[in-house]
Amino acid sequence: MNDTSIGALLRDTYLIDSDTAGIQLQLRRRRRSDMGRACSSNTLMLMHGATFPSESLFDVPVGGASFMDVLATAGFDVWAIDARGYGGSTRPAEMAVSPDTAPPLTPARVAARDLASAVEHVLVENGIERLNIVAMSWGGSVAGIYAEQHGRHIEKLVLVAPLWLSNHPLRIDAGQPLTAWRLVHVDAFREAWLTGVPADRHSNLLPPNWFEQWAAVTTSTDPDAAEPGTIRAPGGAIQDVREHWLANRPLNDPSAISAPVLLVHAEWDQDVRIDMMQDLFKRLDNAAYRRWVEIGEGTHMILMEPGRWQAFDAIIGFLKESPR
């Protein structure tokens, strides 16, 4: 993407009310300045994962353009939400005190309410009845809950490495005590990012300055974190893993989803294994149609890696296609 096309994009940030007094939600928006009237097929909402907010996952312009940039340039009106406790949304008061003084904040069922508030805002703003949802990792749990409860508002659903049932421990849950929130050391995430990647592929997967650019944006999303180079993340996602995904108690019923569904996964993903994807795909048996794209030589962070164009092309193609 060249500088001219990026310059033609409109960038906006909004704060909207949630369903809870005193809690506001940040929405980021990206669209072409010459975009025509928005409709259900060209409007989409991005839902982040358990640890990093939407800006960190979808709006870092590595290689010259972010995921939001690419989607907007392709003709979409792109919105991204931060659930409460993440990024630019209100951080509950419990996140300003010791994390062991309150139960885990923002589990997926609460985040699904925030997603519902965001979708309602966009539907009214654009005068439409449905939109597309693209969700990543734990965000897939959030979107799955929303889809089961509000399926009439979903045009198409894309799940990138969505959390699902697991018979083995998951990396996000290291057995730590359940707390209101957790402190994440951003620079230390490089090692986790590259776990499972052959040593001779490290430099290809994270080209020079890509991680540093991502880390700078990520730390900037929580300027009030107690330690430099850290961000705070609500603890609810860890509770979700322990009480649902590791306990054979799904948070949502995939067979209740009727919209077309695309699953995207990469072979070196250490957080969502391929057997988890297989099980979820089988259970999406009432979707209008379903598809699974497996990308070679990528990790759980495929949307931020050089191979991301494969995910971008698959997602854009899926969202733009018309059923025959």
Side-chain angles (χ1 to χ4, degrees):
M1 185 181 302
N2 58 47
D3 290 339
T4 301
S5 63
I6 293 177
L9 299 183
L10 301 176
R11 296 169 169 84
D12 297 294
T13 303
Y14 305 80
L15 284 175
I16 66 169
D17 291 333
S18 72
D19 63 2
T20 305
I23 299 290
Q24 290 191 302
L25 308 172
Q26 178 174 276
L27 295 179
R28 303 175 69 82
R29 187 182 191 184
R30 190 73 39 80
R31 65 199 190 281
R32 288 182 63 95
S33 58
D34 60 352
M35 182 179 179
R37 183 179 181 277
C39 60
S40 292
S41 62
N42 69 12
T43 303
L44 66 89
M45 177 70 68
L46 303 176
M47 180 69 221
H48 61 78
T51 303
F52 305 112
S54 284
E55 183 178 8
S56 173
L57 292 177
F58 307 128
D59 207 15
V60 180
V62 292
S66 70
F67 186 34
M68 291 188 73
D69 291 334
V70 172
L71 290 170
T73 300
F76 293 97
D77 185 9
V78 188
W79 300 72
I81 178 181
D82 286 337
R84 65 187 70 189
Y86 290 89
S89 293
T90 301
R91 296 185 188 272
E94 294 90 340
M95 295 186 74
V97 296
S98 177
D100 58 2
T101 59
L105 296 168
T106 320
R109 288 196 173 102
V110 172
R113 289 167 28 210
D114 290 344
L115 177 58
S117 296
V119 170
E120 181 180 3
H121 175 87
V122 174
L123 295 181
V124 172
E125 176 76 14
N126 284 3
I128 56 179
E129 296 183 355
R130 296 180 306 280
L131 51 62
N132 303 291
I133 293 179
V134 179
M136 178 177 174
S137 192
W138 172 78
S141 303
V142 177
I145 294 169
Y146 179 84
E148 186 174 345
Q149 297 174 345
H150 305 282
R152 67 190 182 280
H153 293 316
I154 297 182
E155 182 84 2
K156 292 179 181 177
L157 177 63
V158 178
L159 302 176
V160 180
L163 274 182
W164 186 243
L165 298 173
S166 176
N167 293 322
H168 304 286
L170 296 174
R171 285 204 306 172
I172 191 173
D173 181 6
Q176 66 269 41
L178 288 176
T179 56
W181 56 275
R182 54 201 169 98
L183 193 65
V184 179
H185 292 266
V186 175
D187 284 343
F189 186 68
R190 181 196 291 267
E191 181 178 353
W193 191 327
L194 293 172
T195 299
V197 178
D200 62 350
R201 295 289 194 274
H202 284 193
S203 60
N204 293 333
L205 196 81
L206 280 178
N209 297 320
W210 279 34
F211 181 86
E212 290 74 15
Q213 186 177 4
W214 172 84
V217 170
T218 300
T219 54
S220 73
T221 65
D222 189 7
D224 296 325
E227 301 177 20
T230 65
I231 62 170
R232 293 164 292 171
I238 308 299
Q239 184 178 43
D240 290 335
V241 167
R242 204 167 292 181
E243 296 184 356
H244 294 279
W245 301 130
L246 293 178
N248 198 30
R249 296 175 57 234
L251 276 163
N252 65 287
D253 178 9
S255 68
I257 298 174
S258 58
V261 181
L262 171 67
L263 302 183
V264 178
H265 185 256
E267 69 166 320
W268 292 332
D269 193 328
Q270 301 295 299
D271 297 286
V272 176
R273 302 183 311 276
I274 197 166
D275 62 287
M276 297 162 67
M277 294 288 292
Q278 289 171 327
D279 185 52
L280 174 57
F281 186 79
K282 291 177 182 177
R283 299 187 192 218
L284 291 162
D285 52 357
N286 284 316
Y289 59 95
R290 54 189 164 146
R291 184 175 306 150
W292 173 6
V293 173
E294 184 72 14
I295 297 172
E297 299 196 2
T299 77
H300 196 64
M301 296 290 285
I302 183 62
L303 298 181
M304 285 287 302
E305 298 168 355
R308 63 196 183 131
W309 63 269
Q310 298 178 70
F312 294 173
D313 285 354
I315 292 169
I316 291 170
F318 172 75
L319 294 177
K320 286 195 170 187
E321 71 191 13
S322 298
R324 296 181 179 179

